[in-house]
């Protein structure tokens, strides 16, 4: 079974990696795919986000990194993924995630969404909060892989 973990990953955090480690144990192959969204302003380019991912997931053997644009379920079908993986942090994630899961399943009956919780230590962690803290000079080394920490320091001139 191929599972697809889509997201912006701008940038990847230890919470994302924790979800990937969990999902990789449940499925034969995990495809992590970066959504190319022209309307959403990202801090890092697609190429940078790909590099961060590649540098951080060397310990997960059944993982593949890709990118995509367009309708998620079309892409899932194209790569033969039967499952979409999404992470849940708090109740606040739930409403949006459930709406997307139901819509995707209405569009494509053969694609189901499963939700994984990352380790409790990562419940408060999001790419946006990491960017905000880093932009004000806060130390994010506990929350992101070292390649991302270096890139954030560089981006914010530290
Ligand atoms: P989006 O796809 O909404 O732009 P992200 O790229 O930030 O979001 O995250 C991709 C997925 O990973 C989403 O399902 C998000 O809820 C989940 N996620 C992000 N951070 C965490 C975390 N700390 N713990 C669990 N799940 C997370």
């Amino acid at each position: 079974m191929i599972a697809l973990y889509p997201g912006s990953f701008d940038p990847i955090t230890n919470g994302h990696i924790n979800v990937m480690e969990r999902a990789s144990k449940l499925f034969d192959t995990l495809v992590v795919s970066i959504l190319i969204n022209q309307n959403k302003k990202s801090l890092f380019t697609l190429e940078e986000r790909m590099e961060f991912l590649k540098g951080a997931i060397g310990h997960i053997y059944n993982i593949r990194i890709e990118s995509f644009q367009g309708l998620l379920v079309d892409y899932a079908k194209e790569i033969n993924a039967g499952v979409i993986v999404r992470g849940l942090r708090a109740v606040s994630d739930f409403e949006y995630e459930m709406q997307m899961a139901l819509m995707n399943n209405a569009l494509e009956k053969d694609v189901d969404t499963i939700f994984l919780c990352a380790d409790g230590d990562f419940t408060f962690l999001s790419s946006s909060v990491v960017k905000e803290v880093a932009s004000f000079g806060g130390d994010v080394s506990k929350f992101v892989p070292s390649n991302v920490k270096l890139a954030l320091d560089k981006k914010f001139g530290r």
Side-chain angles (χ1 to χ4, degrees):
M1 173 70 87
I2 299 174
L4 165 64
Y5 182 29
S8 311
F9 305 112
D10 183 40
I12 187 177
T13 70
N14 292 342
H16 292 128
I17 295 171
N18 193 260
V19 170
M20 289 173 203
E21 287 165 351
R22 286 162 192 268
S24 70
K25 289 185 195 141
L26 297 173
F27 300 100
D28 301 308
T29 304
L30 179 67
V31 179
V32 176
S33 197
I34 303 178
L35 169 69
I36 305 168
N37 184 349
Q38 320 286 9
N39 300 322
K40 202 167 158 185
K41 181 99 189 70
S42 60
L43 180 64
F44 293 105
T45 65
L46 175 64
E47 290 69 30
E48 287 173 316
R49 285 179 277 158
M50 283 238 166
E51 280 312 304
F52 300 153
L53 269 164
K54 285 182 189 151
I57 48 86
H59 61 297
I60 308 176
Y61 295 105
N62 56 342
I63 202 166
R64 213 163 76 210
I65 311 295
E66 294 187 356
S67 63
F68 76 104
Q69 50 191 331
L71 202 58
L72 180 62
V73 284
D74 286 348
Y75 170 66
K77 286 289 269 186
E78 195 184 302
I79 62 164
N80 277 324
V83 167
I84 294 169
V85 173
R86 296 286 288 176
L88 283 183
R89 280 158 291 204
V91 190
S92 49
D93 280 338
F94 182 76
E95 211 168 294
Y96 171 75
E97 292 292 345
M98 187 178 161
Q99 186 184 24
M100 292 306 296
L102 291 174
M103 175 53 94
N104 285 332
N105 190 248
L107 290 170
E108 184 51 69
K109 276 277 157 281
D110 294 337
V111 178
D112 268 304
T113 301
I114 67 153
F115 298 109
L116 293 176
C117 294
D119 193 284
D121 288 350
F122 303 125
T123 308
F124 58 90
L125 200 51
S126 69
S127 300
S128 349
V129 85
V130 160
K131 284 182 277 195
E132 194 170 347
V133 170
S135 74
F136 291 115
D139 180 9
V140 294
S141 48
K142 278 194 296 206
F143 313 126
V144 293
S146 51
N147 55 354
V148 173
K149 156 85 171 112
L150 284 173
L152 283 166
D153 285 348
K154 208 166 148 202
K155 184 73 85 181
F156 294 114
R158 276 159 228 287

